[in-house]
Amino acid sequence: MDRKSEVLLDFEHVEAAEMARRAMAFRALMSRRRTVRDFSDRPVAREVIEDCVMTAATAPSGANQQPWTFVCLSDPATKRRIRDAAEEEERGFYAGRASDEWLEALAPLGTDENKPFLETAPWLIAIFAQRYGTTADGRRIKHYYVPESVGIASGFLIAALHGAGLATLTHTPSPMGFLNEICGRPDHEKAVILLVVGYPAERATVPDISRKPPEQVLVWQE
């Protein structure tokens, strides 16, 4: 198989001790990450959001097709429209579509249909998955491993925002089609996450929950 033109890999080799230090430091940083529902309206510079989104855009993707679109929203009127639409969907969810098991799982998190954070937080980032691409003349281009690729990029984004000193909330109203209309995105893009971004409110609280220990997550085969 012919390969495209290539360039030398830009890779930093580090000593084992430094590698261990970096791994431990990043683990400690990310262990403090929590999903936040109480946000401050304190502004966040557009440049910070751009750098974090472009970090997400470095994520690996199927056939390097980068099947994602990140719509960054700070306009108060647009955020209000999104809140109204999201709360309407959530009311329907809690009124009849949610199973008893799902409602029981949500109870400890204090989740309900009221979403003031969608207006309070300075930024909303709507993450869209591109079902397919298009050429300049309108032909479709098949995209591969779209959910996996967008999921990895979303993880990069959350980590980048946390590393920058910001709090996030992964909001997933169901269904999410209203985001296409409000954000002006085409039908072949599917909204997958509405990421709420900003500073936590003064004395914000989070649920007293824990993460699984290594023995429930890791499987070693050496």
Side-chain angles (χ1 to χ4, degrees):
M1 180 178 66
D2 293 335
R3 302 184 67 173
K4 294 182 179 179
S5 60
E6 297 182 346
V7 296
L8 288 175
L9 173 66
D10 181 12
F11 185 84
E12 179 188 11
H13 290 272
V14 297
E15 298 297 327
E18 173 62 10
M19 185 183 299
R21 186 199 68 78
R22 292 186 186 186
M24 184 179 297
F26 191 69
R27 177 182 179 181
L29 172 69
M30 296 307 296
S31 70
R32 298 183 60 203
R33 189 211 62 78
R34 292 297 304 270
T35 294
V36 170
R37 288 181 171 80
D38 297 319
F39 282 86
S40 164
D41 61 0
R42 178 181 171 188
V44 174
R46 172 177 170 165
E47 291 78 10
V48 173
I49 301 300
E50 180 175 352
D51 281 337
C52 292
V53 168
M54 295 313 297
T55 295
T58 70
S61 61
N64 191 39
Q65 290 172 320
Q66 305 166 56
W68 43 63
T69 303
F70 301 90
V71 180
C72 303
L73 305 151
S74 64
D75 174 61
T78 304
K79 290 193 296 179
R80 178 68 201 188
R81 288 183 64 198
I82 289 176
R83 178 183 177 181
D84 288 344
E87 288 185 341
E88 182 178 353
E89 294 295 348
E90 291 288 295
R91 281 191 289 271
F93 174 78
Y94 283 96
R97 295 199 304 269
S99 66
D100 291 341
E101 292 81 4
W102 183 237
L103 292 175
E104 184 178 350
L106 290 177
L109 304 179
T111 302
D112 59 28
E113 65 270 28
N114 299 306
K115 312 297 179 186
F117 47 76
L118 293 176
E119 285 191 271
T120 306
W123 289 97
L124 303 178
I125 303 177
I127 304 173
F128 290 84
Q130 301 171 3
R131 296 183 176 93
Y132 57 85
T134 56
T135 63
D137 58 3
R139 290 184 296 107
R140 290 190 182 188
I141 302 173
K142 180 177 175 59
H143 280 172
Y144 301 92
Y145 304 108
V146 173
E148 295 86 349
S149 301
V150 177
I152 295 169
S154 299
F156 273 38
L157 178 55
I158 292 168
L161 290 164
H162 178 70
L166 295 170
T168 58
L169 166 66
T170 48
H171 183 49
T172 53
S174 177
M176 299 179 71
F178 63 87
L179 285 172
N180 286 73
E181 177 186 354
I182 294 175
C183 298
R185 302 313 304 164
D187 290 341
H188 71 272
E189 293 188 4
K190 178 184 178 181
V192 293
I193 295 173
L194 183 59
L195 195 65
V196 186
V197 181
Y199 293 97
E202 191 72 23
R203 300 186 63 80
T205 61
V206 293
D208 185 13
I209 57 177
S210 61
R211 296 183 171 104
K212 291 181 178 179
E215 59 269 21
Q216 294 183 22
V217 177
L218 287 168
V219 176
W220 299 99
Q221 297 185 356
E222 298 180 288

